[in-house]
Amino acid sequence: MLGLRARAAQLPCASASAAVAPTPTPSLSGFARRLPLLASASLSPLPPARTPSFSSAARRERDPPMRPVSRPTTRVFCSAAATAPREGKELLVQHLLVGEQDVRLLVDLEKNIITGGADLSDLAVEYSLCPSKENGGMLGWVRRGQMVPEFEEAAFGAPLNKVVRCKTKFGWHLLQVLAERDQCVMEDIAPEELHAKMQDPNFLEEAQLIDVREPDEVDKASLQGFKVLPLRQFGTWGPVMTDEFDPQKDTYVLCHHGMRSMQVAKWLQSQGFRKVYNVAGGIHAYAVKADSSIPTY
């Protein structure tokens, strides 16, 4: 993946502007390069925890040489059949990319998948021009508005698990939708609203409350019920997040001023947490606007 930085700059990659304090944690830029077709940085730059693998359980023996086939007309921009628009859905997508002039290669690869039983993720590693090849072509969970229009149209019109062909300004793609789910929600919650909720004992039992500040900050000020997961220790708790927390439950994330918590909230959303709330302004705003008994620092 690192050897493809120059090429990645030419693709419509998601940006990774947010940064985590320097510790031996996974690379944030690596996650951005796994989403090469995103048109905006709406997903968090934090690396994914346990991205599902849809490759074969065991590597197949190398397929026999592919026979050349007739060159198709380049006027066909997408081979996906029109289906439901999937409004309000997110799709788990993998793909491979070849050059605009490599139509014969594209068709050979497509035929090798359909009739030869090859796995798209294996072919992506060997042939794709996209930096996502290092992850088997996996783009992760995507939603409308995050991809270039032609790719989005193909992905949201493709039947589950069927490999379809698509052409964009970057070249030819073979893409496959592996799964779909309802779109996850991530939004701010005002300190006053959170304070009102916290007066209800049932809320404290049912909600998942996460404080991503460092231990020395928590010693200065804290809120009842919040579990401390310091962002600098992301490499420790990130990979097991879905083991410790339920993605189906409402999750609230807190930090000092709302910036680090926003980063983690976006990452949780990308991992399938259905409803994630970032405490706007952090614990400082909570102390100033909702509960003056909480110290400021």
Side-chain angles (χ1 to χ4, degrees):
M1 181 184 298
L2 296 178
L4 294 170
R5 291 184 184 274
R7 182 176 293 155
Q10 301 173 1
L11 298 177
C13 300
S15 64
S17 58
V20 179
T23 59
T25 60
S27 168
L28 303 183
S29 61
F31 179 60
R33 292 196 300 274
R34 294 177 187 178
L35 304 173
L37 288 160
L38 303 188
S40 63
S42 57
L43 293 184
S44 166
L46 284 171
R50 295 184 177 181
T51 301
S53 173
F54 287 78
S55 300
S56 307
R59 291 280 180 177
R60 300 182 179 89
E61 295 182 0
R62 183 170 297 278
D63 298 303
M66 295 176 288
R67 297 187 298 275
V69 297
S70 300
R71 183 183 182 92
T73 171
T74 57
R75 289 178 294 178
V76 179
F77 288 95
C78 177
S79 61
T83 59
R86 289 177 168 142
E87 293 297 336
K89 296 290 185 179
E90 294 179 332
L91 306 180
L92 184 63
V93 181
Q94 65 179 4
H95 87 126
L96 64 80
L97 170 68
V98 299
E100 185 175 356
Q101 304 303 318
D102 296 327
V103 183
R104 184 176 298 279
L105 173 62
L106 178 92
V107 175
D108 286 347
L109 294 174
E110 184 177 28
K111 184 176 180 180
N112 203 27
I113 294 172
I114 296 174
T115 63
D119 194 275
L120 189 149
S121 61
D122 295 336
L123 297 180
V125 171
E126 185 171 357
Y127 295 100
S128 183
L129 300 178
C130 179
S132 65
K133 67 181 293 179
E134 300 295 337
N135 198 35
M138 181 65 67
L139 300 179
W141 290 97
V142 298
R143 62 182 66 184
R144 288 190 180 275
Q146 293 181 321
M147 298 164 286
V148 293
E150 301 88 349
F151 193 92
E152 178 177 299
E153 179 183 357
F156 278 83
L160 282 178
N161 298 314
K162 182 178 180 180
V163 174
V164 300
R165 187 189 313 157
C166 173
K167 185 176 186 297
T168 71
K169 62 183 179 180
F170 305 104
W172 285 94
H173 309 259
L174 291 179
L175 68 91
Q176 185 176 29
V177 177
L178 302 172
E180 66 177 62
R181 69 187 183 192
D182 291 336
Q183 187 168 302
C184 300
V185 175
M186 197 288 293
E187 60 186 44
D188 283 344
I189 182 171
E192 300 91 334
E193 183 180 353
L194 175 62
H195 180 68
K197 288 179 176 292
M198 292 186 67
Q199 308 314 304
D200 181 357
N202 292 329
F203 172 79
L204 295 176
E205 293 180 3
E206 297 172 0
Q208 300 181 134
L209 308 175
I210 300 173
D211 188 337
V212 298
R213 295 176 299 147
E214 301 305 312
D216 62 313
E217 295 180 89
V218 177
D219 289 341
K220 298 173 183 177
S222 61
L223 296 183
Q224 177 186 2
F226 276 79
K227 182 171 183 177
V228 179
L229 297 177
L231 186 55
R232 289 183 180 178
Q233 298 177 23
F234 176 82
T236 299
W237 54 260
V240 296
M241 195 66 183
T242 53
D243 295 335
E244 303 292 332
F245 293 87
D246 185 353
Q248 302 302 316
K249 290 187 176 182
D250 291 1
T251 304
Y252 297 77
V253 190
L254 173 77
C255 71
H256 191 193
H257 290 292
M259 300 304 293
R260 286 171 289 175
S261 56
M262 173 66 76
Q263 185 180 1
V264 172
K266 287 183 176 181
W267 177 78
L268 289 172
Q269 181 191 30
S270 75
Q271 299 304 303
F273 280 70
R274 301 300 301 278
K275 291 186 178 180
V276 185
Y277 298 90
N278 176 53
V279 182
I283 196 170
H284 179 82
Y286 188 94
V288 172
K289 299 179 178 180
D291 187 352
S292 59
S293 68
I294 302 297
T296 59
Y297 64 95

